[in-house]
Every structure is written in C-alpha cells, then in structure tokens.
Amino acid sequence: MVRHKRFESMQAFQNVLARNVPSDVYHSCAYYEQPDLEMDKKGWIGSDLVFDIDADHIPTSCGKIHDEWVCQKCEFSGKGITPEECPICSGDRFSVKTWLCDLCIESTRVETAKLVDILTKDFGFAANELHVFFSGHRGYHVHVEDEVVRSLDALSRKEIVDYVTGLGLSVLDKSSKEKSIQGRTRVATTKKFSLHNYGWNQRLKMGMIKFLSTASDEDLKKLNNNLFKNKSFILKQRVIEESRWDDVTGVGVATWLKLAEQAKILGSANIDTVVTTDIHRLIRMNGTLHGKTGLLKIEFPTHKLDDFDPLTQAVAFKKDTAKVLVSDAPKFRLGGATWGPYKNDKVVLPTAVAVMLILKGRAEVTN
C-alpha cells in the first residue's frame, strides 16, 4: 500500500497510475492541511460521511453456494460468511474465495435503498447531496460530501451509525426488560407500549404493518396466534397507525414489542459500521477498477438505484477476447450474457469475463 501522496494536477496523478499500474486505487475521505505528511502531522480539517454496504456482511442463501473459506492453520474449510475463528483449531486467518451474483447485488441494493431513505427522510439530506456508487465488487458506497457533516468527530458518526442500524431504540431497549422464570424468558414492560409519528417510531409503525402484511402464516403464529387470527382486523381498522393496541384481544405489549423488533430488522440498514465512524477512512476512487473483479466503481443518480445494473453498466473492458484455463467457476451473468459453469475448461472469453475469472483466482491465461 502506497500512502500519503498528493498531486498538484489530475495529469500528474494519471501519469503515476500509468507508470505503476496498481491493482486498486483509493483516496482519503478526509481533508488535511498537509496530506503528504505522516498521520500525526497532516492537520485534520474534516471528513466526508461515507457508508459501505457490502454482501460480505449480509447473510444470503447464495453465499453458502459460491463463497468458500479455508483455515490457514488446520485447512478446515466451509462455505458462506467467513467465521471470526476456526471452529476446529480457533485459528483466525483464512483463505477466502468469494463470488458475485444477482442475489448478492440485490441484497446490497435493498440495504442501500433503506439507507438512502433514512438519510433523506430522517436526516433531511436532499437526494442530490448524496453520491451513490457501485463499489466494483458486491456492494455500494454512499458519500455525503457536505460541510454540515465534515467536522463531525468519530463519536458523532457513531450516533449516526446507531440510528441507521436501529441500535438502542428506546421503545425496544428501555421500555422492556427480560426476566428469567423457571428456565423460560418473558418480557416485562415498565410502561405502556406507545409510538409517535416521527423518526424511528414512525418507521416501526410502517415496518410492523409491512411485516404483518407480508409475513407467512407460520411466522405470525410463532409471534402470537391471536395476532394471526386478528391480522385482517388490525390492518383494516388501522390499529397500528393509531396505536390502538388494546383493541386486539389476546395480543399484549410483549407481542407488539416482538412485532416492532421484526420491523426494526426490516427498516434498518445493514452497513459496515467501522467505515462510517473512521474519520481517516480510505475509500475506492470513483472511475477505477476493483482488484477483485475488474469492474468499475461508478456513480449513478440516486433515483436510478432500482434500475442500475452493475453487471452490464460497470463493465470496463468491452473489446477483444482472451483464452483462459478456468479451474472452477459457477454459472454467472456479465456484460449482457451468461457464462459457465466451468470446470478445468480452456475457453476463449470476452476480456471482461476473463479478467473477472483471473482476479477471482479461478482462471489463468493460456495458449
């Protein structure tokens, strides 16, 4: 990693990239008086507020199919999200192979949409004050580049993270407590369950309605069978919108709290919390290639989030082909076509496809 660099012009910067051809290029989210000095001498001025939404932090069914990890200590392997330590030897170093598919990208798009909704409706940022990017791999970045957030310290940014992720909601954490009785757990309330009509309280209301409308019968029965029986009444009579909790027989505060917890999960955004609180963070530079895919980090308008297709619109290499030996690759979509699956196959592929396979460690150039 080559750090602590500054450039007087874009041309000087591009010349360095052309000479060195790095696999990845980052820029600081912070502003400094002397950016080319060591950290303690830079003179921190401020930092943009940035969010990273990555499939690595979101459990998906596809991860158990195409993501693999191997413990470097005992070589025990598994699929899905890499554990913090090996279940066999407790080692904490792993070799990881990930892949990206439509389900991975869709999972991060959903979380990004929730984040944008919170930032615009609850924090009051205009859509044009938010910069939304495809990261070049399996997720999205959202930057708030505004004077109003630039001077925030790490603690203030942690407060924003807590709000976005729904951590510490008073209605869920302070109005109830758990008591263990004869090996079982029950919820004992310290005050009547109530929700007002702004901020997270309003989000919980809307989330409760959404969960009640879309959850399976079995999931509702698990929460409370009376909740399932009264589903139609609750929705038609606007019980949740008007906080008329006592109108539903057999559904007490404990059940409403459980439903609100489900609403919090639906409404909160799953972000990499460390990225947002770091006031010295480095972030991938817009317009550069991701070293694990060869795809572009690329910006697009916030209102295009639903329509943006990274697997076609973030493709950098659109000409020529390459002959590669593919050791192993699942069926995947890229550049407007579907490829694979491959197993020890020699194939001639478009450059973008070949580059992704090579960078993912699943292919090599051959004659």
Side-chain angles (χ1 to χ4, degrees):
M1 179 73 77
V2 179
R3 297 186 62 179
H4 312 300
K5 298 294 181 182
R6 67 182 295 174
F7 301 91
E8 299 301 328
S9 68
M10 182 58 70
Q11 186 60 57
F13 173 61
Q14 291 173 342
N15 290 342
V16 169
L17 294 186
R19 287 197 303 269
N20 295 280
V21 195
S23 63
D24 301 88
V25 183
Y26 303 86
H27 69 83
S28 177
C29 295
Y31 300 83
Y32 299 102
E33 294 173 354
Q34 299 291 334
D36 49 344
L37 300 183
E38 294 298 316
M39 290 302 299
D40 59 343
K41 299 177 182 178
K42 288 181 182 292
W44 186 83
I45 299 172
S47 180
D48 294 328
L49 182 66
V50 297
F51 299 87
D52 181 17
I53 302 94
D54 195 303
D56 288 352
H57 305 106
I58 303 172
T60 58
S61 58
C62 60
K64 297 178 180 179
I65 298 172
H66 57 54
D67 290 355
E68 306 171 6
W69 53 266
V70 179
C71 175
Q72 294 184 3
K73 185 176 180 181
C74 71
E75 297 187 350
F76 181 74
S77 62
K79 291 193 173 185
I81 294 178
T82 306
E84 292 186 4
E85 64 176 38
C86 176
I88 303 300
C89 70
S90 298
D92 59 1
R93 302 188 66 180
F94 302 90
S95 298
V96 179
K97 275 189 176 183
T98 62
W99 195 250
L100 68 160
C101 68
D102 286 303
L103 184 56
C104 297
I105 294 173
E106 174 60 15
S107 69
T108 56
R109 188 202 63 77
V110 169
E111 298 302 317
T112 304
K114 290 193 287 184
L115 172 64
V116 169
D117 188 67
I118 292 172
L119 292 176
T120 53
K121 293 182 180 177
D122 293 19
F123 285 84
F125 292 109
N128 60 10
E129 293 178 306
L130 305 181
H131 299 268
V132 182
F133 306 83
F134 172 62
S135 70
H137 192 207
R138 305 201 298 176
Y140 296 85
H141 296 162
V142 177
H143 297 200
V144 183
E145 300 174 7
D146 192 289
E147 290 288 347
V148 74
V149 298
R150 198 162 288 169
S151 62
L152 294 177
D153 61 13
L155 186 60
S156 299
R157 293 165 195 257
K158 176 64 165 60
E159 291 291 336
I160 294 174
V161 165
D162 290 350
Y163 189 95
V164 166
T165 58
L167 181 65
L169 292 177
S170 60
V171 68
L172 300 178
D173 295 340
K174 294 179 181 178
S175 66
S176 64
K177 58 184 178 180
E178 292 186 349
K179 290 183 178 180
S180 180
I181 300 177
Q182 296 179 350
R184 293 184 297 175
T185 298
R186 75 176 183 183
V187 177
T189 59
T190 58
K191 64 178 181 180
K192 184 177 177 63
F193 181 61
S194 63
L195 293 172
H196 51 65
N197 292 318
Y198 54 88
W200 256 109
N201 279 244
Q202 176 70 2
R203 288 188 174 277
L204 288 179
K205 279 187 177 183
M206 295 301 99
M208 291 166 76
I209 294 168
K210 182 178 180 180
F211 183 84
L212 195 61
S213 303
T214 59
S216 67
D217 292 347
E218 289 304 313
D219 285 340
L220 290 178
K221 289 177 182 178
K222 286 179 183 178
L223 283 178
N224 185 310
N225 194 49
N226 288 314
L227 187 69
F228 165 69
K229 291 180 179 178
N230 289 282
K231 171 182 174 178
S232 180
F233 172 80
I234 295 169
L235 294 175
K236 288 181 179 179
Q237 298 301 316
R238 297 176 59 83
V239 170
I240 294 175
E241 293 96 321
E242 299 173 10
S243 298
R244 292 171 21 233
W245 316 111
D246 294 337
D247 287 4
V248 188
T249 304
V251 180
V253 175
T255 299
W256 291 120
L257 285 170
K258 290 178 183 178
L259 188 59
E261 181 65 37
Q262 294 300 319
K264 188 201 82 169
I265 294 171
L266 283 176
S268 58
N270 193 330
I271 63 173
D272 187 335
T273 60
V274 175
V275 171
T276 303
T277 56
D278 187 353
I279 61 173
H280 302 286
R281 193 71 186 183
L282 298 179
I283 199 81
R284 189 173 304 280
M285 181 170 284
N286 183 29
T288 64
L289 303 182
H290 198 294
K292 293 181 180 179
T293 62
L295 296 177
L296 287 163
K297 174 173 177 175
I298 185 171
E299 183 174 9
F300 56 91
T302 306
H303 67 273
K304 293 287 188 180
L305 181 58
D306 288 345
D307 302 322
F308 183 79
D309 179 15
L311 296 180
T312 57
Q313 293 172 265
V315 173
F317 304 103
K318 298 182 179 180
K319 296 181 179 180
D320 301 325
T321 59
K323 188 174 184 180
V324 292
L325 172 61
V326 187
S327 57
D328 182 34
K331 186 177 181 180
F332 64 100
R333 182 176 68 87
L334 185 66
T338 301
W339 313 93
Y342 300 115
K343 187 72 174 180
N344 297 321
D345 293 324
K346 281 188 177 182
V347 285
V348 176
L349 297 171
T351 302
V353 179
V355 166
M356 178 179 286
L357 289 169
I358 292 169
L359 293 176
K360 282 294 182 183
R362 296 171 183 264
E364 57 184 27
V365 177
T366 187
N367 296 321

